[in-house]
Structure formats: C-alpha cells, structure tokens
Amino acid sequence: MNAPVRPPRVNVALAVNGRAVAVEVEPRTHLADALREELNLAGTHLGCEHGVCGACTVLLDGEPARACLSFAAACEGADVTTIEGLDDDEIATELRAAFTREHALQCGFCTPGMIVAARDLVLRLPEPDERRIRLGLAGNLCRCTGYVGIVRAIQSVISARRARGLGPTAGERGLGPVGARTGSSGASAQSAATAETTVAQAPASAEIPADFRPAHSLDQSFEVGFPPDQVFAFFGRVEEVAACLPGAVVTSVPSPERVEGGMRVKLGPISATFRGAADVRRDEAARAGRIRGAGADGRSGAQGEVRYRVNAGSTPGSSQVNLTVGYALKGPLAQFGRPGLVRDVAARLVAEFAANLEARLAGRPAGADAAAPALNPLRLAFDLARGRIAAWLRRVARKGDASTPRS
Ligand code: FES
Ligand code: FES
C-alpha cells in the first residue's frame, strides 16, 4: 500500500506580539490555526472560520484583520498582534476595565476579537458616536450581550480619553475589520453617517444590472389553500405581495414592469435600509414570474431575483408555489452570506410570507410579522432554532410517556 502523501510545509517568519518567530505550516493553514496550534496563543478564538463572526480578529501590521481568512504563509514578514500582545497596552487595559464595568461580556467568546476591534475604534473615532461604534463593530458578532454594554464600554473609554486631551491618533480611513471595507475613507465616513437611514432619506436607487448572476440561490416551496389562478393574480399586485414580506416597503409603481421601494434589514448591530428598484416580469400562460431588483445603503448593496411558479396543489382548490431566490450581497451585510444561516432564514421567511399570503387571500390582515419594522435574519434563525428544539423536546417527551409503564 502506498504511504499517505504529506502535504508540503512552508516556513513562515513573523513578528508576533513583538517577538520574531518562525512557524512551519501547510500552505492552507490560516493564521488563526498557526497562532493557536503552533504558538499556543489560544486567545485568538475561532467561531465561524468563514470571516463572519470576528472572534478571530487580530492586528495585522496594525490593522484589524480576520485571522481565519488570512493564510499564514501569506503573512510572511508581517507584524501580528494578538489579544495576548495587548496585555500591557494602555487602551486595551482601559477597555478591559470598561467591559467589566459595563457588563459587556457574558461567555467571553467574542471578547478578544471585540477588544481588538474596539481598540481600533478608540484610536480612530474623534467622538463616542454610538452609530459609528455600532457600524465599526459590524464585523464582530456577540450572541450573549445584545451589544448595549459593549457599545457603552467603548463610548466610555473614548469619552474619558478625549476628556484627558487624548485625541484619535489614527486617520479615519475605514471603520470595522479588514474585509468589511469596500470603499474609500469618504465612502466609509458617509456610510457611517447613513447607517440607520430611513427609506425617505436613503441614497438614490441602485440600477438593476442586465447581466446579474446570483452568487447564492435556493429553492423553497409552500402550499396555500386557494386556487392557482387566484394565487397567481395576487402575485401580480406587488404592494400586496410586499405587505406579506417583513421589512419590505413599496414607495411607487411607475409601471406594471417596475416597482420602487426598500427593504429594512437588521443584523446584529447593523441596521440598513436598501432602497432600490425592481423589474417585474410575468408569464400568464405558465403562471410564472420573475422579480429582479437591486438596492443599496451606504457600503452595503444587494442584488437579487425571485422566480416563482404557481401550480395546482396537493388537494383540490389549493396551490403549490415554487420559489427560486438568488442574491448577491456586498459590504458589511455580506456576512449574511453564510449558507446555513441563509437557508434557515429563508425557510422561516417563506413560512411567514406563506402565512401572510394565506391571510390576505382570505381577506384578513397579514400577521404581526409583516408589520415588523425590519427583516431581522438573526431573529428568524433563532425563532426557527427554538421551534426545532421545542419540536424535538415534544418528541422526546412523547417517547418518555410511551415507555412509562402504566400503574
Ligand atoms: S472565526 Fe474568523 S470571522 Fe469567525
Ligand atoms: S459575550 Fe458571549 S458571545 Fe459575546
């Protein structure tokens, strides 16, 4: 039998926390694994390894960077600072005290990455502006605290330092970890100012690219208890369709083929309002249609299309609606591109949409979720997870009942 082929290893020379080190790694090894496994610096946490959660944030040549997205071999000669290297750092020390005082951590898993990102904000922001801090933390997720304590802790450190005459020492080029930046300093500053705009204040509509190809796509289907012709006709009334979708707003319908409006999305500390336009196509004979749109909010942008087809359902007088949803996201909200999360959220969103559609077709107002102020993917994912856990517990309880001998 042939001996297993060992992948080649490369030597990488780095300065880590001010010390020259050399590590031998496979070319595919990311910086976080090199730090944790070769150098025993386990303060750099790994949550998603997809660049989503920010738990692995370190300073790479002085800038916050995702260690899970940086190949160690590509960091040859770089200056790396991990949370351990900030033990004696003045700002990190003030942040640690503020995090304790403001209850800015619970399990602490996100905290090393948060401190690294927060330190960068303290260095850059002239004032303790809550919106700009929240935008700056857009690439660092915390599943415990709700962010209020974290934001307060950072605000208190910035306020105290500015009161002592210690101004920002780094330029305001971009906020947030490397990877969340998509534009120049001007664009970033502008996006910070417009992070929580309303539909009315949102930037001009984004154009729908003719050659749009979705980066991700998923299929969903559901049944409603109304005949296909009635359901297909409903899909032609876009304001009513939008009213079934949490966070969607239609502002005008200049023609049957064009709709203008927006979508409010809330993901952790990020709150964005995409304003844009959609192109609507319908094929009456096939009872099918396509809605393709694009929207933007500062640094975040979204392009997407929904293809639908209404067929006869499994029972007389019912319909099956088949949806194919394709989309591409850029900017801070691109963290929502993680396929598992997107699939869970899409399943929940489609379930809410179907319930609201059914209610409207029956002449009842859509449910409370349709009136929600924003599409909240994390809430939808958590709701779905809670539902699954509850169903599992019910199954376990039923099994327990069945196996308990009757007296
Ligand atoms: S582990 Fe790197 S961003 Fe989540
Ligand atoms: S404190 Fe637990 S994830 Fe932030």
Side-chain angles (χ1 to χ4, degrees):
M1 204 162 71
N2 292 337
V5 181
R6 275 174 59 83
R9 295 175 76 86
V10 289
N11 285 309
V12 185
L14 302 162
V16 178
N17 298 333
R19 226 166 31 94
V21 297
V23 289
E24 196 189 74
V25 292
E26 292 178 19
R28 65 178 180 170
T29 305
H30 59 56
L31 179 61
D33 271 351
L35 292 169
R36 290 173 59 87
E37 289 170 19
E38 305 296 328
L39 299 172
N40 208 21
L41 293 169
T44 299
H45 288 173
L46 281 167
C48 63
E49 297 190 65
H50 278 42
V52 174
C53 71
C56 64
T57 307
V58 296
L59 294 177
L60 200 51
D61 289 333
E63 288 214 42
R66 304 265 197 257
C68 75
L69 293 185
S70 311
F71 286 121
C75 295
E76 169 75 24
D79 194 354
V80 180
T81 306
T82 67
I83 190 70
E84 291 91 343
L86 295 176
D87 273 359
D88 299 322
D89 177 83
E90 182 182 301
I91 298 176
T93 303
E94 290 173 21
L95 282 165
R96 282 192 294 269
F99 269 51
T100 305
R101 190 175 60 242
E102 301 291 345
H103 308 293
L105 72 156
Q106 288 178 25
C107 77
F109 193 83
C110 68
T111 310
M114 281 288 180
I115 295 274
V116 175
R119 180 181 175 279
D120 189 59
L121 291 175
V122 175
L123 281 172
R124 293 182 194 290
L125 294 185
E127 288 163 10
D129 182 321
E130 180 180 341
R131 280 189 312 171
R132 306 203 61 187
I133 292 171
R134 284 181 177 271
L135 187 72
L137 292 181
N140 290 75
L141 301 184
C142 173
R143 60 188 172 178
C144 302
T145 64
Y147 301 98
V148 173
I150 295 172
V151 173
R152 276 201 203 125
I154 298 170
Q155 281 181 305
S156 73
V157 171
I158 296 176
S159 299
R161 291 182 70 81
R162 303 299 171 258
R164 300 203 310 269
L166 299 169
T169 55
E172 278 194 70
R173 2 192 193 84
L175 293 177
V178 171
R181 296 176 188 156
T182 56
S184 64
S185 56
S188 296
Q190 185 198 356
S191 67
T194 58
E196 291 175 3
T197 50
T198 63
V199 170
Q201 297 163 326
S205 303
E207 279 309 307
I208 305 159
D211 59 348
F212 169 66
R213 293 272 177 284
H216 310 275
S217 114
L218 41 104
D219 297 314
Q220 297 281 325
S221 72
F222 61 89
E223 290 217 3
V224 284
F226 292 86
D229 286 341
Q230 194 179 343
V231 176
F232 183 65
F234 184 91
F235 271 90
R237 302 193 291 275
V238 282
E239 282 115 323
E240 291 199 49
V241 173
C244 295
L245 202 59
V249 184
V250 169
T251 52
S252 73
V253 186
S255 73
E257 290 79 35
R258 190 172 172 88
V259 184
E260 291 173 359
M263 187 88 182
R264 286 188 292 269
V265 179
K266 188 159 173 29
L267 183 64
I270 312 168
S271 175
T273 297
F274 292 101
R275 184 175 179 194
D279 173 48
V280 181
R281 299 285 155 88
R282 277 167 69 80
D283 179 342
E284 305 280 338
R287 276 202 228 102
R290 187 199 77 188
I291 302 169
R292 174 180 283 180
D297 174 4
R299 288 185 304 164
S300 288
Q303 297 170 354
E305 71 172 19
V306 177
R307 290 177 185 271
Y308 61 89
R309 183 178 291 272
V310 183
N311 296 323
S314 56
T315 54
S318 72
S319 304
Q320 183 182 52
V321 180
N322 297 312
L323 299 174
T324 301
V325 181
Y327 67 93
L329 298 171
K330 64 177 184 179
L333 275 176
Q335 63 182 275
F336 181 54
R338 196 172 130 207
L341 177 64
V342 170
R343 253 196 320 277
D344 283 355
V345 167
R348 182 72 192 194
L349 188 59
V350 167
E352 288 191 5
F353 177 77
N356 291 329
L357 176 67
E358 184 113 36
R360 288 216 155 221
L361 285 166
R364 301 191 307 271
D369 282 325
L375 168 63
N376 187 334
L378 289 183
R379 178 184 62 77
L380 292 174
F382 288 145
D383 285 354
L384 187 76
R386 202 171 49 205
R388 284 179 183 162
I389 291 167
W392 177 76
L393 286 174
R394 278 197 299 275
R395 278 201 305 278
V396 170
R398 272 201 300 274
K399 274 187 194 159
D401 286 350
S403 60
T404 306
R406 289 173 191 273
S407 55

mmCIF file of all heavy atoms in Angstrom, residues 221-244:
data_model
loop_
_atom_site.group_PDB
_atom_site.id
_atom_site.type_symbol
_atom_site.label_atom_id
_atom_site.label_comp_id
_atom_site.label_asym_id
_atom_site.label_seq_id
_atom_site.Cartn_x
_atom_site.Cartn_y
_atom_site.Cartn_z
ATOM 1 N N SER A 221 -40.596 25.975 -1.454
ATOM 2 C CA SER A 221 -41.962 25.872 -1.954
ATOM 3 C C SER A 221 -42.920 25.743 -0.780
ATOM 4 O O SER A 221 -42.513 25.331 0.318
ATOM 5 C CB SER A 221 -42.107 24.695 -2.922
ATOM 6 O OG SER A 221 -42.043 23.497 -2.221
ATOM 7 N N PHE A 222 -44.151 26.164 -1.012
ATOM 8 C CA PHE A 222 -45.161 26.068 0.044
ATOM 9 C C PHE A 222 -46.528 25.943 -0.614
ATOM 10 O O PHE A 222 -46.684 26.211 -1.817
ATOM 11 C CB PHE A 222 -45.105 27.299 0.969
ATOM 12 C CG PHE A 222 -45.367 28.611 0.285
ATOM 13 C CD1 PHE A 222 -46.648 29.122 0.167
ATOM 14 C CD2 PHE A 222 -44.313 29.342 -0.247
ATOM 15 C CE1 PHE A 222 -46.877 30.340 -0.462
ATOM 16 C CE2 PHE A 222 -44.535 30.563 -0.877
ATOM 17 C CZ PHE A 222 -45.821 31.060 -0.980
ATOM 18 N N GLU A 223 -47.495 25.513 0.170
ATOM 19 C CA GLU A 223 -48.854 25.362 -0.364
ATOM 20 C C GLU A 223 -49.781 26.354 0.329
ATOM 21 O O GLU A 223 -49.596 26.676 1.504
ATOM 22 C CB GLU A 223 -49.365 23.939 -0.122
ATOM 23 C CG GLU A 223 -48.657 22.912 -0.969
ATOM 24 C CD GLU A 223 -49.580 21.790 -1.471
ATOM 25 O OE1 GLU A 223 -50.798 21.817 -1.211
ATOM 26 O OE2 GLU A 223 -49.048 20.887 -2.142
ATOM 27 N N VAL A 224 -50.758 26.850 -0.403
ATOM 28 C CA VAL A 224 -51.806 27.682 0.197
ATOM 29 C C VAL A 224 -53.155 27.126 -0.254
ATOM 30 O O VAL A 224 -53.271 26.551 -1.343
ATOM 31 C CB VAL A 224 -51.702 29.179 -0.195
ATOM 32 C CG1 VAL A 224 -50.600 29.870 0.557
ATOM 33 C CG2 VAL A 224 -51.519 29.364 -1.685
ATOM 34 N N GLY A 225 -54.162 27.347 0.546
ATOM 35 C CA GLY A 225 -55.472 26.746 0.275
ATOM 36 C C GLY A 225 -56.346 27.583 -0.635
ATOM 37 O O GLY A 225 -57.536 27.777 -0.335
ATOM 38 N N PHE A 226 -55.784 28.083 -1.719
ATOM 39 C CA PHE A 226 -56.554 28.859 -2.708
ATOM 40 C C PHE A 226 -56.143 28.404 -4.102
ATOM 41 O O PHE A 226 -55.022 27.936 -4.301
ATOM 42 C CB PHE A 226 -56.290 30.366 -2.528
ATOM 43 C CG PHE A 226 -56.849 30.910 -1.250
ATOM 44 C CD1 PHE A 226 -56.109 30.847 -0.081
ATOM 45 C CD2 PHE A 226 -58.141 31.441 -1.201
ATOM 46 C CE1 PHE A 226 -56.629 31.310 1.113
ATOM 47 C CE2 PHE A 226 -58.667 31.906 -0.008
ATOM 48 C CZ PHE A 226 -57.909 31.845 1.163
ATOM 49 N N PRO A 227 -57.061 28.542 -5.081
ATOM 50 C CA PRO A 227 -56.759 28.010 -6.412
ATOM 51 C C PRO A 227 -55.620 28.759 -7.115
ATOM 52 O O PRO A 227 -55.397 29.948 -6.845
ATOM 53 C CB PRO A 227 -58.075 28.198 -7.186
ATOM 54 C CG PRO A 227 -59.022 28.870 -6.270
ATOM 55 C CD PRO A 227 -58.386 29.089 -4.947
ATOM 56 N N PRO A 228 -54.912 28.079 -8.014
ATOM 57 C CA PRO A 228 -53.730 28.682 -8.665
ATOM 58 C C PRO A 228 -54.020 30.019 -9.349
ATOM 59 O O PRO A 228 -53.204 30.938 -9.245
ATOM 60 C CB PRO A 228 -53.315 27.613 -9.681
ATOM 61 C CG PRO A 228 -53.794 26.330 -9.094
ATOM 62 C CD PRO A 228 -55.066 26.658 -8.358
ATOM 63 N N ASP A 229 -55.158 30.154 -10.038
ATOM 64 C CA ASP A 229 -55.410 31.429 -10.742
ATOM 65 C C ASP A 229 -55.492 32.589 -9.759
ATOM 66 O O ASP A 229 -54.987 33.685 -10.014
ATOM 67 C CB ASP A 229 -56.714 31.341 -11.554
ATOM 68 C CG ASP A 229 -56.506 30.487 -12.800
ATOM 69 O OD1 ASP A 229 -55.330 30.294 -13.182
ATOM 70 O OD2 ASP A 229 -57.504 30.000 -13.361
ATOM 71 N N GLN A 230 -56.126 32.333 -8.612
ATOM 72 C CA GLN A 230 -56.272 33.399 -7.609
ATOM 73 C C GLN A 230 -54.909 33.762 -7.001
ATOM 74 O O GLN A 230 -54.593 34.935 -6.791
ATOM 75 C CB GLN A 230 -57.232 32.914 -6.517
ATOM 76 C CG GLN A 230 -57.719 34.030 -5.620
ATOM 77 C CD GLN A 230 -58.691 33.526 -4.560
ATOM 78 O OE1 GLN A 230 -59.244 32.420 -4.687
ATOM 79 N NE2 GLN A 230 -58.907 34.321 -3.537
ATOM 80 N N VAL A 231 -54.094 32.740 -6.754
ATOM 81 C CA VAL A 231 -52.774 32.996 -6.162
ATOM 82 C C VAL A 231 -51.877 33.730 -7.168
ATOM 83 O O VAL A 231 -51.186 34.692 -6.830
ATOM 84 C CB VAL A 231 -52.117 31.672 -5.703
ATOM 85 C CG1 VAL A 231 -50.699 31.916 -5.185
ATOM 86 C CG2 VAL A 231 -52.977 31.011 -4.627
ATOM 87 N N PHE A 232 -51.943 33.298 -8.429
ATOM 88 C CA PHE A 232 -51.100 33.946 -9.441
ATOM 89 C C PHE A 232 -51.514 35.414 -9.621
ATOM 90 O O PHE A 232 -50.667 36.304 -9.754
ATOM 91 C CB PHE A 232 -51.196 33.183 -10.765
ATOM 92 C CG PHE A 232 -50.307 33.755 -11.822
ATOM 93 C CD1 PHE A 232 -48.925 33.719 -11.688
ATOM 94 C CD2 PHE A 232 -50.849 34.355 -12.951
ATOM 95 C CE1 PHE A 232 -48.097 34.272 -12.654
ATOM 96 C CE2 PHE A 232 -50.030 34.907 -13.922
ATOM 97 C CZ PHE A 232 -48.646 34.861 -13.773
ATOM 98 N N ALA A 233 -52.824 35.661 -9.597
ATOM 99 C CA ALA A 233 -53.298 37.050 -9.721
ATOM 100 C C ALA A 233 -52.779 37.890 -8.553
ATOM 101 O O ALA A 233 -52.377 39.043 -8.724
ATOM 102 C CB ALA A 233 -54.830 37.066 -9.759
ATOM 103 N N PHE A 234 -52.756 37.306 -7.357
ATOM 104 C CA PHE A 234 -52.250 38.023 -6.179
ATOM 105 C C PHE A 234 -50.790 38.429 -6.389
ATOM 106 O O PHE A 234 -50.391 39.548 -6.064
ATOM 107 C CB PHE A 234 -52.371 37.130 -4.935
ATOM 108 C CG PHE A 234 -51.962 37.814 -3.670
ATOM 109 C CD1 PHE A 234 -52.878 38.498 -2.883
ATOM 110 C CD2 PHE A 234 -50.631 37.791 -3.248
ATOM 111 C CE1 PHE A 234 -52.486 39.141 -1.714
ATOM 112 C CE2 PHE A 234 -50.228 38.432 -2.087
ATOM 113 C CZ PHE A 234 -51.163 39.108 -1.318
ATOM 114 N N PHE A 235 -49.973 37.529 -6.963
ATOM 115 C CA PHE A 235 -48.563 37.837 -7.197
ATOM 116 C C PHE A 235 -48.385 39.020 -8.154
ATOM 117 O O PHE A 235 -47.332 39.631 -8.211
ATOM 118 C CB PHE A 235 -47.816 36.603 -7.736
ATOM 119 C CG PHE A 235 -47.245 35.742 -6.654
ATOM 120 C CD1 PHE A 235 -47.994 34.714 -6.110
ATOM 121 C CD2 PHE A 235 -45.978 35.970 -6.160
ATOM 122 C CE1 PHE A 235 -47.478 33.921 -5.095
ATOM 123 C CE2 PHE A 235 -45.457 35.178 -5.144
ATOM 124 C CZ PHE A 235 -46.206 34.145 -4.600
ATOM 125 N N GLY A 236 -49.420 39.345 -8.900
ATOM 126 C CA GLY A 236 -49.348 40.498 -9.802
ATOM 127 C C GLY A 236 -49.566 41.822 -9.080
ATOM 128 O O GLY A 236 -49.308 42.883 -9.636
ATOM 129 N N ARG A 237 -50.048 41.779 -7.833
ATOM 130 C CA ARG A 237 -50.298 43.024 -7.077
ATOM 131 C C ARG A 237 -49.141 43.223 -6.098
ATOM 132 O O ARG A 237 -49.164 42.767 -4.955
ATOM 133 C CB ARG A 237 -51.642 42.916 -6.355
ATOM 134 C CG ARG A 237 -52.801 42.652 -7.299
ATOM 135 C CD ARG A 237 -54.145 42.848 -6.633
ATOM 136 N NE ARG A 237 -54.470 41.871 -5.631
ATOM 137 C CZ ARG A 237 -55.029 40.671 -5.860
ATOM 138 N NH1 ARG A 237 -55.338 40.313 -7.107
ATOM 139 N NH2 ARG A 237 -55.298 39.861 -4.873
ATOM 140 N N VAL A 238 -48.111 43.924 -6.587
ATOM 141 C CA VAL A 238 -46.845 43.947 -5.839
ATOM 142 C C VAL A 238 -46.946 44.605 -4.467
ATOM 143 O O VAL A 238 -46.262 44.186 -3.537
ATOM 144 C CB VAL A 238 -45.706 44.624 -6.642
ATOM 145 C CG1 VAL A 238 -45.152 43.700 -7.679
ATOM 146 C CG2 VAL A 238 -46.153 45.906 -7.226
ATOM 147 N N GLU A 239 -47.823 45.622 -4.333
ATOM 148 C CA GLU A 239 -47.924 46.243 -2.995
ATOM 149 C C GLU A 239 -48.435 45.219 -1.987
ATOM 150 O O GLU A 239 -47.973 45.165 -0.848
ATOM 151 C CB GLU A 239 -48.877 47.436 -2.992
ATOM 152 C CG GLU A 239 -48.261 48.685 -3.579
ATOM 153 C CD GLU A 239 -48.968 49.078 -4.850
ATOM 154 O OE1 GLU A 239 -49.354 48.146 -5.603
ATOM 155 O OE2 GLU A 239 -49.126 50.281 -5.093
ATOM 156 N N GLU A 240 -49.385 44.383 -2.436
ATOM 157 C CA GLU A 240 -49.925 43.380 -1.513
ATOM 158 C C GLU A 240 -48.893 42.290 -1.216
ATOM 159 O O GLU A 240 -48.792 41.800 -0.096
ATOM 160 C CB GLU A 240 -51.195 42.763 -2.094
ATOM 161 C CG GLU A 240 -52.338 43.757 -2.132
ATOM 162 C CD GLU A 240 -53.674 43.058 -2.252
ATOM 163 O OE1 GLU A 240 -53.893 42.115 -1.475
ATOM 164 O OE2 GLU A 240 -54.454 43.451 -3.115
ATOM 165 N N VAL A 241 -48.114 41.949 -2.244
ATOM 166 C CA VAL A 241 -47.057 40.948 -2.026
ATOM 167 C C VAL A 241 -46.045 41.495 -1.024
ATOM 168 O O VAL A 241 -45.629 40.805 -0.079
ATOM 169 C CB VAL A 241 -46.357 40.583 -3.360
ATOM 170 C CG1 VAL A 241 -45.157 39.676 -3.120
ATOM 171 C CG2 VAL A 241 -47.345 39.893 -4.300
ATOM 172 N N ALA A 242 -45.656 42.782 -1.203
ATOM 173 C CA ALA A 242 -44.669 43.392 -0.298
ATOM 174 C C ALA A 242 -45.201 43.428 1.130
ATOM 175 O O ALA A 242 -44.437 43.254 2.086
ATOM 176 C CB ALA A 242 -44.324 44.799 -0.770
ATOM 177 N N ALA A 243 -46.519 43.629 1.273
ATOM 178 C CA ALA A 243 -47.098 43.696 2.622
ATOM 179 C C ALA A 243 -46.990 42.357 3.351
ATOM 180 O O ALA A 243 -47.123 42.296 4.569
ATOM 181 C CB ALA A 243 -48.554 44.129 2.538
ATOM 182 N N CYS A 244 -46.746 41.287 2.601
ATOM 183 C CA CYS A 244 -46.597 39.956 3.233
ATOM 184 C C CYS A 244 -45.161 39.694 3.659
ATOM 185 O O CYS A 244 -44.872 38.676 4.276
ATOM 186 C CB CYS A 244 -47.014 38.858 2.241
ATOM 187 S SG CYS A 244 -48.737 38.911 1.791
#
